[in-house]
Amino acid sequence: MNITVPKKLLSDQLSLLERIVPSRSANPLYTYLGLYAEEGALILFGTNGEVDLEVRLPAEAQSLSRVLVPAQPFFQLVRSLPGDLVALGLASEPGQGGQLELSSGRFRTRLSLAPAEGYPELLVPEGEDKGAFPLRTRMPSGELVKALTHVRYAASNEEYRAIFRGVQLEFSPQGFRAVASDGYRLALYDLPLPQGFQAKAVVPARSVDEMVRVLKGADGAEADLALGEGVLALALEGGSGVRMALRLMEGEFPDYRRVIPQEFALKVQVEGEALREAVRRVSVLSDRQNHRVDLLLEEGRILLSAEGDYGKGQEEVPAQVEGPGMAVAYNARYLLEALAPVGDQAHLGISGPTSPSLIWGEGEGYRAVVVPLRV
Amino acid sequence: MNITVPKKLLSDQLSLLERIVPSRSANPLYTYLGLYAEEGALILFGTNGEVDLEVRLPAEAQSLSRVLVPAQPFFQLVRSLPGDLVALGLASEPGQGGQLELSSGRFRTRLSLAPAEGYPELLVPEGEDKGAFPLRTRMPSGELVKALTHVRYAASNEEYRAIFRGVQLEFSPQGFRAVASDGYRLALYDLPLPQGFQAKAVVPARSVDEMVRVLKGADGAEADLALGEGVLALALEGGSGVRMALRLMEGEFPDYRRVIPQEFALKVQVEGEALREAVRRVSVLSDRQNHRVDLLLEEGRILLSAEGDYGKGQEEVPAQVEGPGMAVAYNARYLLEALAPVGDQAHLGISGPTSPSLIWGEGEGYRAVVVPLRV
């Protein structure tokens, strides 16, 4: 055996890879997990064709060349190993008939290896590889998580207008922005972090989810981002040794700035959770097609109501309403999703049933645009 | 409003009905929840055609005749109501256009009622209705739960030999037994509770799951069972006021007693969890068809091994083995399921690769039969 690693460390780090590496794939090589060792480190890697991920663990290790093991049994086994330590080694030379020997406590296994030829080259940049990744920046992982998770919901699930199935990241000297839309509503989040370059990159929404998961495991470390041709690379500073490459979508969002309303006939301030709960309750009675909920905005209150096959419901929520009384209707799901990231106080800017409404919170970079239903 | 009931009580009790009442059904009336009130009580009921359930809550109530409300929005609403109390009443006379008015805090709704004609008559026996339910018994709900949950796993999921998709309950002067089998393995659980009559009843496995859920909510109360023609009724003693009727399957199990081995060439005693964990690990390497795991039984140990497309694995578990060394193989899934209800100490009685093996625990009424794979 030439590699020994604590079971818990291995098991924890594998959970990131477990989400990426598919259990089935048109390319059977994707269902394998790659591993190799250097003096003092075990490196695990995998890909699903959209996201490449590499995890480096401190380990008692001599050098071991790259091998591919069947990922699913490896994940299953490591989770349930009986010992505190896991020992790994090659049972014969790689190539045909090569096997990875794994033992822990009284358990021993030999996993058949796949030939590494044909496995895709991972796109994670090597050290100072400025050539392929000319644009680089660093930002706090927690801030990046905030920006991504606030807008993710607004990305489209439809094939139609494929670009909207991604989240657009905008780097500029003014700051960093994440934005998502499905053509009917839009969410953006601004971070006041001036960037040294100007660029836009659209990351598929599902890859954003994996990116968020990796960033959340970063424990507050800085995230290093590097933009290359068609790829965004992410590395976490510090000991965790996680590197990730995300294939970008082609193109960029159509200009969305003109749909963000700047002035409103009516401004509303309301307790966020009270409004969300009322929308949730009343919308149980909504019609199943538009999930329509009607808002009557009057001095001191919002009166919500909905009516559908099951019957009708209404609820009143106290609110500060500045401006003339007004009736406006929304798709309850869109309204709820736009309100979800808003904290204690929700702000609404409304100009009537035919103009987009703006929703925002307090002191955060979040803004959401929701188009009302025709009354 | 003529009914007032604490929201939490209503919400808790609805959760039982929520599992029974289907959200879609070939019979649309099944998707409705029935309710009526008597002086001091609100009664809710529902059915899925297999299981009827009626729940009685203490409530500030005047009498209200039976109405049917759409169940799904009612469940959703009640879970999320803002107030501590819920008020219910009829907004107009039952019949066409009738509505149930529900209010709580600032929320108000009117749910459209369905005409109650055509709703199936529930099979729960009324009080001393000895005519339709001549056979009656009472047993501790916790014991009944134990018997049912120990054997449930062995029931079949296949259409083939439909009777095996049920759990057979056997009442006799010797005691009570629950038994399940799919033709390949069998599990039974004996309760030393002599019954005043002799009868067998096969309850569909899915209905058993609902029965277990209701019994678990009984908080140790006695369960009253009553057998009628094609139906088993269950009522819980005490305040909870839950009554249930389960439609039985036709027929009874073929005689299974002859497959239960009485004598063994080899007896094994082993730590239950150690064996289960080892089977779980080693079987990751099993072939995907038979999930075959090989056991070599020798003095002082069981050596488990498996081999499949991914490679091979083995593990040793210390054990007391009485008898000659022997090799035997099982479907790992069947072995694990048979071992799951066994506690700290597992006992195995084995007579070779062509005879059924018996598995049991310590001091419990549980016994399982597993047929080995041919070596």
Side-chain angles (χ1 to χ4, degrees):
Chain A
M1 294 291 172
N2 27 21
I3 306 165
T4 306
V5 61
K7 181 209 151 185
K8 185 165 177 345
L9 179 66
L10 180 58
S11 176
D12 287 353
Q13 294 297 313
L14 276 182
S15 66
L16 290 176
L17 280 155
E18 202 165 349
R19 292 202 41 95
I20 304 289
V21 178
S23 55
R24 284 171 204 194
S25 170
N27 183 345
L29 278 177
Y30 288 174
T31 67
Y32 283 81
L33 179 76
L35 61 87
Y36 65 97
E38 295 172 355
E39 188 69 38
L42 170 65
I43 297 96
L44 302 152
F45 58 91
T47 184
N48 59 14
E50 293 278 308
V51 177
D52 301 341
L53 185 66
E54 186 196 275
V55 175
R56 174 178 293 256
L57 317 178
E60 258 182 55
Q62 297 152 26
S63 153
L64 177 78
S65 60
R66 280 168 186 258
V67 297
L68 298 180
V69 297
Q72 292 309 316
F74 191 81
F75 292 144
Q76 276 186 59
L77 285 173
V78 169
R79 259 199 309 270
S80 74
L81 288 176
D84 293 334
L85 291 176
V86 183
L88 298 167
L90 286 190
S92 61
E93 286 308 295
Q96 61 184 25
Q99 293 188 313
L100 182 77
E101 187 156 334
L102 178 157
S103 67
S104 178
R106 284 200 180 88
F107 176 78
R108 262 192 317 141
T109 185
R110 288 185 170 202
L111 291 169
S112 305
L113 300 175
E117 292 93 60
Y119 193 82
E121 196 64 39
L122 299 199
L123 294 180
V124 290
E126 296 292 332
E128 290 304 304
D129 181 12
K130 283 260 181 183
F133 291 87
L135 306 177
R136 300 194 169 218
T137 183
R138 169 175 287 191
M139 57 180 83
S141 55
E143 293 295 296
L144 189 50
V145 165
K146 239 192 239 176
L148 296 173
T149 52
H150 273 74
V151 307
R152 164 68 177 86
Y153 74 86
S156 173
N157 297 313
E158 311 286 329
E159 290 293 340
Y160 171 75
R161 291 185 95 179
I163 195 75
F164 283 150
R165 302 177 70 185
V167 172
Q168 179 162 281
L169 311 184
E170 300 178 14
F171 304 84
S172 82
Q174 285 75 52
F176 172 84
R177 170 179 286 181
V179 55
S181 174
D182 62 4
Y184 303 100
R185 47 16 191 314
L186 179 141
L188 62 83
Y189 197 100
D190 286 312
L191 289 176
L193 300 170
Q195 302 294 310
F197 57 93
Q198 189 112 26
K200 288 175 186 167
V202 182
V203 181
R206 278 185 309 182
S207 302
V208 166
D209 296 337
E210 300 311 325
M211 191 174 165
V212 165
R213 227 163 247 117
V214 165
L215 287 166
K216 281 184 173 170
D219 224 10
E222 298 275 306
D224 285 314
L225 298 179
L227 263 179
E229 186 70 27
V231 58
L232 172 70
L234 166 71
L236 295 174
E237 205 194 26
S240 61
V242 177
R243 297 196 302 166
M244 195 174 197
L246 306 133
R247 271 149 199 81
L248 300 176
M249 299 177 75
E250 281 181 28
E252 61 177 70
F253 278 20
D255 182 29
Y256 59 84
R257 282 171 180 77
R258 60 192 166 74
V259 307
I260 303 175
Q262 307 293 334
E263 299 190 345
F264 319 103
L266 195 73
K267 281 177 124 178
V268 181
Q269 187 177 344
V270 55
E271 206 188 297
E273 190 55 18
L275 181 56
R276 287 189 291 267
E277 286 212 346
V279 174
R280 246 176 248 130
R281 270 188 292 270
V282 169
S283 67
V284 171
L285 286 310
S286 288
D287 65 296
R288 296 299 97 185
Q289 199 186 349
N290 290 320
H291 304 279
R292 176 185 176 124
V293 54
D294 282 273
L295 277 67
L296 184 63
L297 303 142
E298 297 176 334
E299 204 183 315
R301 68 166 195 172
I302 306 174
L303 184 67
L304 297 101
S305 61
E307 181 163 7
D309 290 344
Y310 294 139
K312 52 192 170 186
Q314 68 170 57
E315 184 165 346
E316 190 185 312
V317 180
Q320 291 175 38
V321 178
E322 281 171 47
M326 198 176 278
V328 64
Y330 300 99
N331 178 316
R333 293 192 181 180
Y334 285 5
L335 182 59
L336 272 178
E337 290 187 336
L339 286 169
V342 170
D344 287 349
Q345 291 295 318
H347 295 264
L348 288 81
I350 299 172
S351 294
T354 55
S355 311
S357 304
L358 193 70
I359 291 175
W360 68 100
E362 302 231 305
E364 295 264 357
Y366 174 68
R367 281 182 286 165
V369 179
V370 182
V371 178
L373 296 171
R374 296 299 167 110
V375 174
Chain B
M1 294 292 171
N2 27 19
I3 306 165
T4 306
V5 60
K7 180 207 150 186
K8 187 168 176 341
L9 178 66
L10 180 59
S11 175
D12 288 352
Q13 295 298 313
L14 275 182
S15 67
L16 290 177
L17 281 155
E18 200 166 351
R19 293 201 42 95
I20 305 289
V21 178
S23 55
R24 286 171 203 192
S25 170
N27 183 345
L29 277 178
Y30 288 174
T31 67
Y32 283 80
L33 179 75
L35 61 88
Y36 66 97
E38 295 171 354
E39 188 71 36
L42 170 65
I43 297 97
L44 302 152
F45 57 93
T47 184
N48 60 13
E50 294 279 308
V51 177
D52 299 343
L53 186 66
E54 185 196 273
V55 175
R56 173 178 293 257
L57 315 179
E60 259 181 53
Q62 298 153 27
S63 153
L64 177 77
S65 61
R66 281 169 184 258
V67 298
L68 298 179
V69 297
Q72 292 310 316
F74 191 81
F75 293 144
Q76 275 185 61
L77 285 172
V78 169
R79 260 200 308 272
S80 75
L81 289 175
D84 293 333
L85 291 176
V86 182
L88 297 166
L90 286 190
S92 60
E93 285 310 295
Q96 62 184 28
Q99 294 187 312
L100 181 77
E101 187 154 332
L102 179 157
S103 66
S104 178
R106 284 200 179 89
F107 176 78
R108 263 195 314 140
T109 185
R110 289 184 168 202
L111 291 169
S112 305
L113 299 175
E117 292 94 59
Y119 193 82
E121 197 64 39
L122 298 199
L123 294 180
V124 290
E126 296 291 333
E128 290 304 303
D129 181 11
K130 282 258 181 185
F133 292 88
L135 306 177
R136 299 195 171 217
T137 182
R138 170 174 287 191
M139 54 180 87
S141 55
E143 293 296 296
L144 189 50
V145 165
K146 239 191 238 177
L148 297 173
T149 52
H150 272 76
V151 306
R152 163 67 177 87
Y153 74 86
S156 174
N157 298 312
E158 311 287 328
E159 291 294 339
Y160 172 72
R161 294 184 93 179
I163 195 76
F164 283 150
R165 301 176 71 183
V167 172
Q168 180 163 280
L169 311 184
E170 299 178 15
F171 305 84
S172 83
Q174 285 75 52
F176 172 84
R177 171 180 286 183
V179 54
S181 174
D182 62 3
Y184 303 101
R185 39 41 185 298
L186 178 140
L188 62 83
Y189 197 99
D190 284 313
L191 289 175
L193 300 171
Q195 303 294 310
F197 57 94
Q198 189 113 24
K200 289 176 185 168
V202 183
V203 181
R206 277 185 310 185
S207 301
V208 167
D209 296 337
E210 301 313 325
M211 191 176 166
V212 165
R213 226 163 249 116
V214 165
L215 288 166
K216 280 186 172 170
D219 224 10
E222 297 277 305
D224 286 316
L225 298 179
L227 264 178
E229 186 68 28
V231 59
L232 172 70
L234 166 71
L236 294 174
E237 203 194 27
S240 60
V242 176
R243 297 197 300 164
M244 195 172 195
L246 305 133
R247 270 150 199 80
L248 299 176
M249 299 176 74
E250 283 181 27
E252 60 178 68
F253 279 20
D255 181 29
Y256 58 83
R257 280 170 182 77
R258 56 189 170 74
V259 308
I260 303 175
Q262 306 291 337
E263 299 192 346
F264 320 103
L266 195 73
K267 279 178 128 179
V268 182
Q269 186 177 346
V270 54
E271 206 189 295
E273 189 57 16
L275 181 57
R276 287 189 289 268
E277 286 212 345
V279 175
R280 246 176 248 130
R281 270 188 292 270
V282 168
S283 67
V284 172
L285 285 312
S286 289
D287 65 295
R288 295 301 97 185
Q289 200 187 346
N290 290 319
H291 305 280
R292 175 188 179 122
V293 56
D294 281 275
L295 276 66
L296 184 62
L297 303 142
E298 297 176 334
E299 203 184 316
R301 69 166 193 173
I302 306 174
L303 183 66
L304 297 101
S305 62
E307 181 163 6
D309 290 344
Y310 294 140
K312 50 191 170 185
Q314 68 169 58
E315 184 165 347
E316 192 185 311
V317 180
Q320 290 174 41
V321 178
E322 279 172 48
M326 199 177 277
V328 63
Y330 299 100
N331 178 317
R333 292 191 182 179
Y334 286 6
L335 182 58
L336 273 177
E337 290 186 337
L339 286 168
V342 170
D344 286 349
Q345 291 294 317
H347 294 263
L348 289 80
I350 300 173
S351 296
T354 56
S355 310
S357 305
L358 193 71
I359 291 174
W360 69 100
E362 303 231 307
E364 295 265 357
Y366 174 69
R367 279 182 288 165
V369 178
V370 183
V371 177
L373 296 171
R374 298 297 168 110
V375 174

